[in-house]
Amino acid sequence: MSLAPELIAPDAAGLRAAARALREGRLVAFPTETVYGLGAHALDADAVRRVFAVKGRPATSPLIVHVASIEAARALVTTWPDAAERLAQAHWPGPLTLVLPKRDVVPDAVTAGLGTVGLRVPAHPVALALLREAAIPIAAPSANRFTRLSPTRAEHVRDAFSRDEVAMVIEGGVSEVGIESTVVSLAGPEPVLLRPGVLDLPGLRRAFEGGPGAHAAPGQHEAHYQPRTPLFLAGEHLPAGRGAYVWHTTPREAAHTVRLPADARGYAARLYDTLHALDGGDWAWIALEPVPDEASWEGVRDRLRRATARGRVTD
Ligand code: AMP
Ligand code: MG
């Protein structure tokens, strides 16, 4: 058995050690308010390439670059339109990624060869403290293997990777937002929503409108966020065998039931954590009560569609 990544306390000594490891090109997982990130020095192309290798992530899927401030974001892009200033002022630090034309200092490895870079100032105090201590931009996708469930706790990361893949994980409790950031492109003539999250941003054109396959955002793979246990949206009948039913308004008869909050934000906050816990149990299947078809649930619906492998529904 290989060792799990070293678990680092989020104190001054821990953050110093993590920041040093990052500056030296090693990979460090850290908490953000969305999910735990697998961090690498964003301006070090070799470190960035290791992120793709360790995750098994296709090189065509760009990484989000995390920075400590608007000023640090502006240093990585060639334009900072009014819309960027407005959205950043309103939502940073927070679960919003802005896509803008990149400067040459940002390696092509980070952006999957695109001329744009996705930037975010995370709100988790440990993420912000790490960014300030390291004093470098940190490229970080979710700290899970490609297509698997995103981690919402340090132990999810330690279960997924070995120490020679990921040097350390900083302890930071449970991620409070619970699903990945909202992604908005400001690189074209009008702002475009590339990936929904928990933020309510009315009036944006949606790149993915028209359903699966229609979206223009790179790296938005259909099969994603998947537990090992077969996961379904519940139809009229539940599958045979001992399974778990996840509900938020109407319970049903099953070997095991889990209740999630009935509001979209509360549901998002518990979703991956609940699926991780159920995946560790011995259930033949997990079925989810369908969620409302309302704008506030768009981020959750997006993740459920991918997690259930192209919307598997029980009959
Ligand atoms: P993840 O790291 O898995 O949360 O995914 C990051 C997502 O952000 C990608 O899958 C893209 O959809 C989006 N993204 C990041 N950088 C860019 C970019 N330069 N252009 C467009 N989308 C981006
Ligand atoms: Mg991910």
Side-chain angles (χ1 to χ4, degrees):
M1 263 299 288
S2 53
L3 287 175
E6 185 181 358
L7 187 63
I8 300 288
D11 55 18
L15 290 169
R16 259 198 311 277
R20 189 180 329 116
L22 282 167
R23 281 195 303 266
E24 288 170 356
R26 284 184 283 154
L27 306 190
V28 174
F30 62 99
T32 86
E33 76 279 21
T34 60
V35 302
Y36 274 67
L38 179 54
H41 189 329
L43 308 184
D44 177 342
D46 288 336
V48 168
R49 277 192 281 269
R50 271 201 293 284
V51 171
F52 285 90
V54 155
K55 275 188 66 105
R57 181 175 171 115
T60 51
S61 195
L63 305 185
I64 291 169
V65 175
H66 297 73
V67 288
S69 64
I70 289 181
E71 204 188 341
R74 293 184 67 158
L76 301 176
V77 298
T78 56
T79 64
W80 186 255
D82 290 348
E85 184 65 21
R86 240 180 310 114
L87 285 167
Q89 289 288 349
H91 298 288
W92 281 359
L96 175 67
T97 297
L98 299 178
V99 173
L100 287 154
K102 79 173 186 75
R103 287 199 193 176
D104 290 344
V105 285
V106 181
D108 289 338
V110 174
T111 65
L114 297 170
T116 55
V117 61
L119 297 167
R120 177 165 105 82
V121 178
H124 196 296
V126 173
L128 279 174
L130 178 68
L131 284 161
R132 291 193 185 114
E133 178 70 30
I136 50 169
I138 302 176
S142 52
N144 53 280
R145 293 194 197 272
F146 183 58
T147 79
R148 289 301 180 193
L149 273 179
S150 300
T152 50
R153 298 172 186 269
E155 68 211 58
H156 297 156
V157 183
R158 300 188 82 225
D159 287 344
F161 296 105
S162 70
R163 193 168 295 188
D164 19 275
E165 295 173 313
V166 178
M168 29 183 108
V169 185
I170 310 175
E171 177 56 70
V174 184
S175 294
E176 278 183 1
V177 170
I179 63 172
E180 297 78 0
S181 60
T182 301
V183 181
V184 175
S185 172
L186 300 174
E190 51 168 335
V192 177
L193 181 65
L194 297 181
R195 177 173 72 184
V198 299
L199 297 182
D200 186 24
L201 300 173
L204 289 186
R205 189 167 72 76
R206 284 151 163 73
F208 44 86
E209 233 151 49
H215 53 68
Q220 295 272 26
H221 299 272
E222 264 315 294
H224 214 146
Y225 319 120
Q226 295 184 348
R228 272 177 283 268
T229 313
L231 182 72
F232 300 90
L233 280 185
E236 200 181 329
H237 305 284
L238 294 180
R242 285 174 54 79
Y245 187 64
V246 180
W247 63 282
H248 52 281
T249 57
T250 315
R252 288 171 70 166
E253 202 65 49
H256 184 64
T257 57
V258 179
R259 181 181 193 172
L260 292 184
D263 67 291
R265 283 231 179 198
Y267 189 102
R270 299 290 315 131
L271 177 63
Y272 291 159
D273 209 44
T274 299
L275 294 178
H276 272 289
L278 290 175
D279 216 14
D282 198 16
W283 307 113
W285 47 265
I286 303 167
L288 301 152
E289 180 182 355
V291 299
D293 193 25
E294 291 160 17
S296 61
W297 287 84
E298 196 174 350
V300 167
R301 276 201 309 278
D302 172 77
R303 303 314 186 274
L304 292 186
R305 188 169 50 75
R306 297 170 202 275
T308 53
R310 296 179 173 83
R312 259 190 302 188
V313 181
T314 70
D315 57 17

